[in-house]
Amino acid sequence: SLALIERTQCERSSARGERVEVAAMARQGNIGQARANLDGAMGTMKDNMKLLSEREECLTQLEDKSTNLNRTASKFHQGARMVNWKTRAAGYTTALVVIALGLWAVLFALHVHVGKRNIWEFVALSVVALLLGYGIYVCVTRRWAAAANNLVSDSSTSGSSSGDEEQSAE
């Protein structure tokens, strides 16, 4: 009977030990599950951080491209204004040359045919008038070129809204 009692106590203690082991395993299972959840959350966070850095890189590249496009558009606008100015100046120059030639022809006819004067006097006066006219042309062209350069530099320093106002004014 003593052996039976010892045997029963042994079985009870081994059952308690198994219960302790099962409880310990359950705790470790919860810890393991918590670690697995934590690892999963960390992995998701790392993926999100990687995606965020990729998006930031894409946004930076997009901003650089936008800045370059803005610069290119500004240079194109300046070039278009310069071409517009040069076209107008060429039109004015052509009109002035045609008017000057017409005036010269009229004066030639009046001087030589109507006034019955010497042709060499008129040629000498024409050369003087031509040189004077060329000097005036050079001065005006330089002044217009300086004004065009100021116009280009003003449009490059002003904002894009002023460019819209200038276009509507033209």
Side-chain angles (χ1 to χ4, degrees):
S1 104
L2 188 58
L4 184 62
I5 292 174
E6 283 180 5
R7 201 166 143 200
T8 306
Q9 285 178 351
C10 267
E11 286 176 4
R12 282 185 192 164
S13 68
S14 77
R16 280 187 197 152
E18 287 177 8
R19 283 188 211 146
V20 170
E21 287 180 23
V22 169
M25 287 176 65
R27 280 188 226 130
Q28 286 180 353
N30 287 340
I31 292 173
Q33 186 180 9
R35 282 189 181 159
N37 287 342
L38 183 62
D39 289 342
M42 290 290 286
T44 303
M45 192 162 77
K46 285 179 184 178
D47 290 342
N48 287 341
M49 288 175 66
K50 183 179 177 183
L51 288 172
L52 184 64
S53 68
E54 288 174 0
R55 285 182 185 149
E56 182 181 357
E57 183 180 325
C58 288
L59 286 174
T60 302
Q61 289 175 353
L62 186 61
E63 183 180 12
D64 292 343
K65 288 179 183 178
S66 175
T67 301
N68 288 338
L69 182 61
N70 191 13
R71 266 192 228 123
T72 303
S74 177
K75 287 180 182 179
F76 177 79
H77 180 69
Q78 291 172 4
R81 290 178 62 108
M82 184 61 81
V83 167
N84 187 14
W85 177 84
K86 285 182 178 181
T87 302
R88 277 198 245 156
Y92 295 148
T93 303
T94 303
L96 287 174
V97 167
V98 167
I99 290 171
L101 285 176
L103 183 63
W104 182 82
V106 168
L107 290 176
F108 179 77
L110 289 175
H111 184 77
V112 174
H113 294 294
V114 174
K116 304 285 187 200
R117 295 190 181 155
N118 189 355
I119 196 169
W120 294 109
E121 292 175 2
F122 186 76
V123 170
L125 288 174
S126 294
V127 168
V128 170
L130 180 68
L131 291 176
L132 183 64
Y134 181 73
I136 292 172
Y137 171 77
V138 168
C139 289
V140 169
T141 302
R142 286 183 184 166
R143 179 171 279 184
W144 282 355
N149 288 337
N150 290 338
L151 182 68
V152 169
S153 66
D154 288 345
S155 69
S156 65
T157 57
S158 65
S160 61
S161 63
S162 66
D164 295 337
E165 293 169 1
E166 291 170 1
Q167 284 179 350
S168 64
E170 293 175 358

